[in-house]
Amino acid sequence: EFKIFTTGANAEFGRGTANALVSTKSGSNEIHGTGFFYFRNQDLIHTDYFSEPANGGLGKAPLSRYQYGGSVGGPIIKDKMFFFGSVERTQQDFFAIRSQQLIQQLTYLLPLNLGMTIGNSIPQPNRDLLYQGKVNYNFSAKNSAFLRFAGETAYLLNDYTGTNTGLPDWAPQQVKDNQLVYTGAIGETFVVNPTTVNQFTA
């Protein structure tokens, strides 16, 4: 869950001109979990005008996209310590289609023995893994703390490779866009009295 403050954020959220307030689930005294699965392929995509074979195109570009994951939370020590974790995986295989005219032009380079792969498409596979873990601890009815870690590991191949590019045989994955992100947070909430609460977050 998140909220975006672009202007007029309260003092408790800092003095920046824009803030993102992020909230994550916590575990409880009962174990609860969720799961999901999503699939999509080229049959669910409209063919644009230039890809239509009647207009000189090669038809739909092959596509396969899977998204799946889940979450689980529960007690470590009843009424005292709780855990929560989640994971999400995205796996997509997409191909950028070359036009028939472009393929004919690239084949003129074959007699030069440049070691190029000239196919009717450029593979652009994508893999993305998101994960998160959180632990909450109640020191007392008035004092509690949490520790959270989250990360993302992902890559996308040939993202900036145009369809007019001939891929060399020795480097079919010409461009690899890697993403590696880690975040962590720790916080404590102390109820001083019915009208005063102190919260620390880093």
Side-chain angles (χ1 to χ4, degrees), residues 62 65 83 194:
R65 181 179 178 89
F83 75 93

Side-chain angles (χ1 to χ4, degrees), residues 8 11 15 42 56 59 64 88 104 108 122 156 164 167 178 180:
R15 298 186 301 170
Q42 67 276 1
S64 174
E88 177 180 344
Q104 292 175 351
Y108 294 140
I122 299 289
L156 175 60
N164 61 343
L167 298 177
N178 279 314
L180 184 61

Side-chain angles (χ1 to χ4, degrees), residues 13 23 48 73 102 107 142 155 174:
F13 303 125
S23 300
D48 63 84
L102 184 57
T107 55
K142 295 184 177 181
Y155 70 83
Q174 193 175 52

Side-chain angles (χ1 to χ4, degrees), residues 76-170:
I76 299 176
I77 303 174
K78 187 177 181 180
D79 296 328
K80 276 286 187 181
M81 181 180 285
F82 313 95
F83 75 93
F84 179 82
S86 64
V87 64
E88 177 180 344
R89 169 81 168 174
T90 301
Q91 179 176 324
Q92 176 174 288
D93 291 305
F94 176 75
F95 296 84
I97 300 296
R98 305 183 198 264
S99 68
Q100 192 62 43
Q101 180 181 6
L102 184 57
I103 295 174
Q104 292 175 351
Q105 293 174 355
L106 289 173
T107 55
Y108 294 140
L109 301 176
L110 289 177
L112 300 178
N113 294 322
L114 299 176
M116 294 173 55
T117 300
I118 301 174
N120 61 357
S121 63
I122 299 289
Q124 295 179 338
N126 170 234
R127 302 292 184 268
D128 193 358
L129 180 65
L130 298 164
Y131 41 89
Q132 174 186 251
K134 184 179 182 182
V135 175
N136 292 76
Y137 187 79
N138 296 329
F139 296 100
S140 67
K142 295 184 177 181
N143 195 351
S144 63
F146 76 90
L147 175 66
R148 184 181 67 231
F149 172 80
E152 177 182 16
T153 305
Y155 70 83
L156 175 60
L157 302 184
N158 299 324
D159 184 28
Y160 305 107
T161 304
T163 54
N164 61 343
T165 302
L167 298 177
D169 293 335
W170 52 269

